[in-house]
Amino acid sequence: MRRFLTALLLASVLVTGFPSTIPATFAQRAAEKSKKAAASVTAQRGVDTISADQMRAYLTFIASDEMEGRDTPSRGLDTTAKFLAMNLSRWGFKQAGDDGTFFQRIELKRERADGGQTKVEYNGRALTTGTDFLPAGPGNVSGKLVYAGNGWLIKSKEMDAYKDIDPKGRIAVIFGTPGALPRGVSRADLRALGQDAMNPLDYARSKGVAGLIFVADYQFLANWQSNRQRTMERGATVVAKFQRQGQAPAMLPSIIVSPEIANSLLVGEKSPATAIFNAMNDGTLPASFLMNDQKTVSLNIGSTTESIPTQNVVAVWEGSDPVLKSEYVAIGAHYDHVGTGCRPVANDRICNGADDDGSGTTGMLAMAEALAKAPTRPKRSILFVWHCGEEKGLWGSRYFTEYPTVPLNAIVAQLNMDMIGRSRKPGDTNSRNNSLTGPDAVYVIGSTMMSTELGELVNTVNKSYLNLTFDTKYDDPKDPNRFFYRSDHYNYARKGIPIIFFFDGEHEDYHGVGDTADKIDYAKMEKIARTVYMTAWEIANRPARLKVDKPLPAQISISAN
């Protein structure tokens, strides 16, 4: 890259720095010479093999319906992992997972509600599993009731399910489907989740609520039989191996009840179930209240526990320098998405995750292919980690940085791509696309947070190559969107590794069924992937590793706890 930059500088001097009497052909020849030098550098590095058409082909597969939204864990995620490994193997990458494979295994624990071991009673009357209710969360509890609206705390929307009441020790009756957002709320409203916003489970737990009774919306009830099978099979899935004892919060005993049971529960109360259902459809719900003390519910929700594996995909392209190849430039993306957890549109429930983060996943695959086809190798090794479970709480990157398959102190930098494939079109007036970058722009976060050299390097590479617009709007740990904390680079930064996060911005299809491969700007993906690739090469070829000359901001803990 230094020769590349020197050639460009020489061309600039030759064109602008000599008297006008020098023939124009001399300057033209110099410019042509500099172009040839730059072309030689890019050819030696293989960057020109990263193409829009290539990435379109890969992403069309990765974000297809057959991958079923790549939930962690899922069949679709495992299939995607095998697809990545197949290509890495044929390109000659070193297997850097467990036991001589590309897979770093992570054991998950899934707890399923067991209808056969479940008993629910309302005022001594036994309710029927599968007809009157569906089990949703395991545990045993008995108690009085509290009506808690939609169960959410969202201060920006003035939603507070337990405002002015003390629900401690009671079982909350909540109108809404577990996991679904209330009407009028988008993912953007949850940016401060855990501070000014909590989902029904977390908020109930923080208030000392003993159990939950969900009254699902009409769409869920209309598909009661199919949801019965899906809900009975669904359970709490947590990372088991690296979480300390007691670190994972306990589930609350919970059920989803039929309309008939909901009516029975709310007979004689301030607001009957029919009125609440109507208000629910209008997007408003009555204020919460403590229900009649004569009403009690007993929840004894049985469960079974099983271990299920998932994986990060890890590969190494070994460097050419006999000494420096023991150091690594890490490139990362998360290859999971949210499965079928989006709000359905018509009959479509699959969240394809083409941009989030099929785009980063595909960009990495294109870079891997470019390395394999390049005539030369970088001096340092390049470490590729496709992380799983990012959508569940940065599971894969947390696991890799706790149990690295290469020495963590040998990683000199980590470049993360999460959502690099969407562009805001001219004339787009959709407010949900306001923060989406254009076809020649990308948000760059964290590049100068820990290393002045890294920030200077990425800017120099960009300006001398494709000259994208680097938008640093969100390059602040205090950013209210908390983007710095919301993707896998965060766990590397916690360990003292300088990072850069490339991100196109949120858009109307974020975590929705509309995030599909046909909406991707592949020309933009090509530009970003090539820029990240050339940045990785430059880091890998430096004679000395990047200096970490800045302490991490106080908001970021580098401890493993």
Side-chain angles (χ1 to χ4, degrees), residues 416-428:
N416 181 39
M417 297 177 292
D418 191 349
M419 299 173 60
I420 59 166
R422 289 286 288 264
S423 295
R424 190 175 185 186
K425 298 178 181 178
D428 185 349

Side-chain angles (χ1 to χ4, degrees), residues 8-138:
L8 290 183
L9 180 62
L10 176 62
S12 176
V13 171
L14 288 173
V15 171
T16 61
F18 284 87
S20 57
T21 55
I22 294 178
T25 53
F26 186 84
Q28 290 171 355
R29 288 171 185 166
E32 289 172 1
K33 186 176 180 180
S34 70
K35 287 180 181 179
K36 289 180 180 179
S40 175
V41 169
T42 58
Q44 287 298 305
R45 296 181 177 184
V47 66
D48 294 341
T49 66
I50 300 172
S51 72
D53 288 343
Q54 164 205 38
M55 289 190 285
R56 184 192 303 272
Y58 290 144
L59 185 54
T60 299
F61 176 82
I62 289 168
S64 64
D65 282 354
E66 287 76 11
M67 298 305 104
E68 300 170 336
R70 308 188 308 280
D71 196 9
T72 304
S74 70
R75 175 178 59 182
L77 188 75
D78 293 345
T79 301
T80 305
K82 290 175 182 176
F83 174 73
L84 296 172
M86 175 193 71
N87 284 293
L88 294 166
S89 179
R90 70 189 181 93
W91 294 331
F93 273 75
K94 180 181 178 181
Q95 298 165 324
D98 297 331
D99 303 321
T101 72
F102 289 111
F103 304 129
Q104 183 188 30
R105 298 291 182 181
I106 304 174
E107 289 296 322
L108 307 181
K109 181 177 71 175
R110 169 175 283 161
E111 200 165 14
R112 300 176 185 269
D114 187 340
Q117 300 179 31
T118 292
K119 289 179 63 176
V120 173
E121 293 184 349
Y122 169 47
N123 281 352
R125 170 197 162 194
L127 305 185
T128 304
T129 306
T131 301
D132 294 328
F133 73 93
L134 302 174

